[in-house]
């Protein structure tokens, strides 16, 4: 929602809007995060792992980048230092807990870092960039597996971490549940269950 003043449209003008362009994701896949619009470009990820930079005026593709898994978060654009100069980087994560910095102008990989070893870990929130650091939240799909009686649930703790924006080096990591999970009981099938987790 935007106020009429911020959006530049009145409620009466909305019915007269017309499609200027459309972008069809190859292979019938769909967009996963909110699009980010910066400098006349639209940056958006997809469920097949491609991130696209599109011309905001025409919808034409400037570049595409293939991540290791689906990209579900919005892309964050911020400055990065490289070879003594600054340039814009596109920061995002994927559903295998990898974080990327890609050259926003041409889509070339600047760095990538796996930020969680847990098999269920993933990045679904848009990274935040401030003061030369990239802040990333790590979530998991472990809740979906918890109903499977063969799955040893639940060992994921959730975390937030900071990476160096220029290199991807991990600066710190804090778990949302500080205590490491311990075996607590076995279910009716004999599968070990763990706590605390979440």
């Amino acid at each position: 929602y935007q106020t009429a003043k911020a959006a530049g449209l009145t409620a009466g003008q909305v019915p007269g809007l017309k499609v200027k362009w459309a972008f069809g994701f190859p292979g019938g896949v769909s967009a996963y995060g909110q699009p980010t619009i910066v400098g006349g470009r639209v940056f958006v990820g997809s469920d097949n792992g491609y991130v696209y930079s599109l011309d905001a005026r025409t919808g034409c593709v400037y570049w595409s980048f293939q991540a290791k898994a689906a990209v579900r978060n919005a892309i964050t654009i911020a400055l990065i230092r490289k070879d003594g100069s600054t340039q814009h980087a596109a920061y995002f994560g994927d559903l295998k807990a990898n974080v990327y910095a890609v050259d926003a102008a041409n889509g070339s990989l600047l760095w990538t870092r796996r930020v969680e070893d847990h098999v269920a870990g993933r990045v679904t929130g848009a990274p935040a960039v401030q003061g030369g650091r990239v802040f990333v939240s790590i979530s998991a799909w472990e809740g979906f597996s918890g109903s499977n009686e063969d799955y040893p649930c639940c060992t994921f703790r959730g975390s937030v971490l900071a990476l160096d924006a220029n290199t991807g080096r991990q600066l710190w990591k804090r778990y949302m549940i500080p205590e490491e999970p311990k075996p607590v009981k076995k279910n009716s099938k004999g599968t070990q269950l763990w706590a605390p987790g979440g």
Side-chain angles (χ1 to χ4, degrees):
Y1 170 78
Q2 293 289 323
T3 64
K5 184 176 181 182
L9 295 170
T10 66
Q13 292 171 316
V14 172
L17 293 176
K18 294 184 172 83
V19 174
K20 187 167 185 177
W21 57 263
F23 178 74
F25 290 90
V29 300
S30 58
Y32 249 27
Q34 297 83 8
T36 300
I37 303 171
V38 176
R41 294 193 183 189
V42 177
F43 298 88
V44 64
S46 64
D47 62 3
N48 69 354
Y50 274 95
V51 172
Y52 296 94
S53 172
L54 309 174
D55 185 311
R57 190 176 47 82
T58 65
C60 293
V61 177
Y62 278 111
W63 54 258
S64 63
F65 175 84
Q66 173 84 63
K68 297 174 184 175
V71 175
R72 190 172 182 175
N73 51 263
I75 314 301
T76 301
I77 308 297
L79 289 175
I80 190 171
R81 293 185 189 275
K82 184 179 175 193
D83 302 326
S85 63
T86 57
Q87 64 191 80
H88 285 91
Y91 297 96
F92 53 92
D94 69 20
L95 294 190
K96 289 190 177 177
N98 299 295
V99 176
Y100 305 82
V102 172
D103 187 316
N106 62 29
S108 62
L109 179 65
L110 299 170
W111 56 258
T112 185
R113 167 84 51 193
R114 183 165 167 95
V115 294
E116 177 60 55
D117 292 329
H118 195 287
V119 68
R122 62 187 182 170
V123 177
T124 56
V129 181
Q130 179 67 37
R133 296 180 176 192
V134 181
F135 300 94
V136 181
S137 59
I138 312 299
S139 61
W141 51 262
E142 192 173 43
F144 296 116
S145 301
S147 62
N148 180 343
E149 292 184 346
D150 294 320
Y151 181 75
C153 201
C154 292
T155 57
F156 187 76
R157 301 191 284 163
S159 61
V160 173
L161 57 92
L163 304 173
D164 183 297
N166 301 316
T167 65
R169 180 176 62 89
Q170 183 173 310
L171 303 172
W172 54 259
K173 184 174 188 176
R174 301 290 180 263
Y175 288 98
M176 299 300 98
I177 300 175
E179 183 183 347
E180 289 192 27
K182 295 176 179 56
V184 290
K185 65 179 181 177
K186 293 189 177 181
N187 67 16
S188 60
K189 287 189 80 176
T191 304
Q192 182 66 60
L193 303 178
W194 301 73

